[in-house]
Amino acid sequence: RWRDLTGGGGDLLLLNETGTPREECATEFRNDELVQVPIPISRGPTAFSFGLTSHEETLDMIHETREFCDDDSELHCWLTGIPYAFWGQYIGIFDVLFQIGALSVAVAFGVSFIFLVVKIRSEGIHSGGKVVIGSFVGAVLIGTTSLMSFVTVTGLSMLAGVALTGFSNMSFVLSVGFAVEYSVHIVSRWIRSDQSIEGGVERVRYTMDFLMLPTFLSFASSVIGICCLALTNFEFNEINFFRPLIIMVFVTYLYGCWWLPCLLTLLDFESLRLGGGSR
């Protein structure tokens, strides 16, 4: 009996109130209702996919099927359903990662440069030109440390089986914040070390004598907190949060508190001496 009723539904758009009303329900019409011509929208057949057992296989399916519909400039159609509504957000995820990574490093550079200029200029010891040059070099060092941390964390995480998702991208970008946290304190104290300290190694020793303990405690507390994620029973947490974050905290500590100080021992130039005192 229900086949005699259109109810204004179906796969084609119908002209409302052009069919014979149903006596039992005035809002329903029988199947003599007219179809709207030209047809503005219609729905095609249903497709089924099997064997989608991984993130990559689902994305490959979306790419392969969109070639016949979404990507066809002459055929105005699009594919819908759970795979496209949810997993479609991961199409172009690498480009998103590149954009947010580049933006994060650029912001780290800019904020670090402004911080160093304001901090050193407020001491009123050196000329404006020397402060700008020294602050620029310091910001480059901080930005370089952040970029290296971001690239390394992303690469090692992918080798560890972490797929590119919105969750993992967030963990990758966090590496910029951790790298800046370490490097901005080290560069700031190093570049403002007392003028009486001779030699690149001694300037770094002066810097790390003060910062080694607090940076290590920061690293240790982060490791302890992140390890709690490994104690959950959800594999999703272990893959998308624990793995990239534990890699991130070790990589940023290595670059920020070991690689960067070693590099600073080689940069004992007069233009990068912005501390007080006399030589």
Side-chain angles (χ1 to χ4, degrees), residues 91-101 164 169:
I91 300 297
I93 192 69
F94 181 80
D95 294 334
V96 174
L97 174 64
F98 176 81
Q99 292 174 4
I100 60 177
L164 289 179
N169 281 3

Side-chain angles (χ1 to χ4, degrees), residues 88-142:
Q89 64 181 300
Y90 299 115
I91 300 297
I93 192 69
F94 181 80
D95 294 334
V96 174
L97 174 64
F98 176 81
Q99 292 174 4
I100 60 177
L103 181 61
S104 299
V105 173
V107 170
F109 168 82
V111 173
S112 300
F113 175 72
I114 295 174
F115 165 77
L116 291 174
V117 168
V118 173
K119 178 66 177 178
I120 300 172
R121 188 60 178 168
S122 64
E123 297 173 349
I125 301 175
H126 301 278
S127 64
K130 185 176 182 181
V131 170
V132 170
I133 293 174
S135 299
F136 178 81
V137 174
V140 169
L141 292 171
I142 295 170

Side-chain angles (χ1 to χ4, degrees), residues 19 45 104 119 126 128 148 152 164 177 182 184 208 264 270:
S104 299
K119 178 66 177 178
H126 301 278
M148 292 177 61
T152 304
L164 289 179
Y182 293 131
V184 72
M208 298 310 296
L264 295 181
E270 180 61 32

